[in-house]
Amino acid sequence: MENNLSYNKILLKISGDFFRKEDEFLSFEGVRFIALQVKAIHKMGVKIGIVVGGGNILRGSKSSQKYGLPADELDELGMQATLLNSGLLSSTLKNLGVPNVVLSAIPVSPSIGEPYNRFKTEEFLSRGNVLIFGGGTGNPYFTTDTASVLRALQIHANILLKATNVDGVYDKDPNKFKDAKLYKRLTYREALKKDLRIMDLTAFSLALDHKLSIIVFNAKNPRNIEKVVLGKDIGTIIEGGSNG
Ligand code: UDP
């Protein structure tokens, strides 16, 4: 593969948490930090799709439980939040000279992006654009984890890269337990048996059904995305081919 790439077409899932800082729900530095990492792998020739979450602004089900508002209504707003984050990432990437397009699952202003259209994705990618998928799946009761699996399958990505702020998948929360053990490789079956919450179950079962491999890695480390696409031993891989 080009430049010794292990993965030349990826779907990167970025949680909205990367776009916040302490009390600020929007951190432009946070967006730029991710954009710089995307720029580096774009330069290496990787075809990139990105699904951006909205959790820095609103998570529908959480707020619904807390405040007793209808979950589906809040989910609609959550999807708007993902679009806002997508637009910010898009502007930041453009500013860094990285061509990109926002493709949205929900109505979007033409000055920000355009409706998702599966026929156009390959064309955009072959012209060197990064694809930023906004609006999640376009439906309430889903998350952007499910959207990331969906879009990974639709663009035929080699791998789904789930960015987190820890080094991968552990047997227990590494922020709470010093002796937490990091898994390097897992099968889907192991992950389910050990009840490791890598993604929500809807997302996870869709990935399992389609044998999609996932790497969970720490994106707070500035060169980790680069290392992952080069096949370096970073994070935890959940192997799609071995779900038996
Ligand atoms: N959302 C939704 N449908 C989708 C994707 C997202 O309704 O297909 C809503 C949902 O309320 C969710 C919010 O958008 O909580 C933000 O997405 P998510 O929680 O996945 O963001 P992340 O945790 O990745 O920042």
Side-chain angles (χ1 to χ4, degrees):
M1 266 185 204
E2 246 174 282
N3 293 335
N4 302 321
L5 293 172
S6 286
Y7 305 106
N8 64 357
K9 196 193 242 184
I10 64 154
L11 192 296
L12 176 65
K13 161 70 207 297
I14 298 287
S15 159
D17 288 330
F18 281 93
F19 291 2
R20 78 144 48 102
K21 194 177 160 194
E22 287 139 27
D23 288 346
E24 293 168 45
F25 74 90
L26 265 182
S27 157
F28 284 74
E29 289 88 7
V31 181
R32 189 178 156 84
F33 179 79
I34 294 295
L36 284 168
Q37 297 196 52
V38 171
K39 179 178 171 151
I41 57 166
H42 180 259
K43 218 168 155 186
M44 290 159 65
V46 181
K47 290 185 174 172
I48 308 161
I50 305 176
V51 167
V52 189
N56 52 322
I57 303 167
L58 180 67
R59 286 196 176 99
S61 59
K62 260 197 181 166
S63 302
S64 157
Q65 281 161 23
K66 197 166 169 194
Y67 301 106
L69 295 167
D72 56 341
E73 274 180 39
L74 292 187
D75 279 345
E76 296 292 341
L77 297 173
M79 286 187 272
Q80 297 288 343
T82 71
L83 195 52
L84 188 147
N85 283 338
S86 299
L88 262 182
L89 179 62
S90 169
S91 297
T92 309
L93 280 172
K94 264 184 243 153
N95 203 246
L96 292 170
V98 183
N100 68 84
V101 53
V102 174
L103 298 173
S104 178
I106 56 174
V108 57
S109 153
S111 53
I112 295 171
E114 57 180 274
Y116 171 80
N117 174 341
R118 72 177 283 262
F119 298 109
K120 284 194 178 175
T121 53
E122 201 47 51
E123 190 187 320
F124 280 130
L125 282 173
S126 62
R127 287 201 209 133
N129 289 289
V130 172
L131 305 180
I132 303 173
F133 298 112
T137 64
N139 291 292
Y141 304 113
F142 289 100
T143 64
T144 51
D145 274 355
T146 303
S148 66
V149 175
L150 181 68
R151 297 303 187 218
L153 296 173
Q154 285 176 305
I155 67 167
H156 305 290
N158 319 130
I159 191 97
L160 169 57
L161 304 183
K162 184 173 161 66
T164 64
N165 57 12
V166 291
D167 285 341
V169 181
Y170 288 81
D171 60 346
K172 49 193 162 189
D173 186 348
N175 293 319
K176 289 187 194 147
F177 300 94
K178 267 195 178 154
D179 63 339
K181 180 183 149 228
L182 175 72
Y183 296 107
K184 294 304 296 174
R185 311 185 88 82
L186 282 166
T187 62
Y188 273 88
R189 179 171 287 226
E190 283 165 344
L192 285 169
K193 209 172 142 197
K194 295 179 200 292
D195 195 24
L196 303 168
R197 305 279 164 95
I198 295 163
M199 290 182 158
D200 60 80
L201 277 180
T202 311
F204 205 66
S205 58
L206 184 62
L208 179 148
D209 277 353
H210 294 274
K211 298 184 163 59
L212 178 68
S213 293
I214 304 172
I215 294 179
V216 181
F217 73 104
N218 190 343
K220 292 272 174 190
N221 239 328
R223 299 201 60 191
N224 266 1
I225 301 185
E226 237 174 285
K227 289 183 187 164
V228 172
V229 297
L230 287 169
K232 305 265 192 258
D233 191 19
I234 300 283
T236 304
I237 184 161
I238 300 99
E239 290 159 310
S242 58
N243 57 0

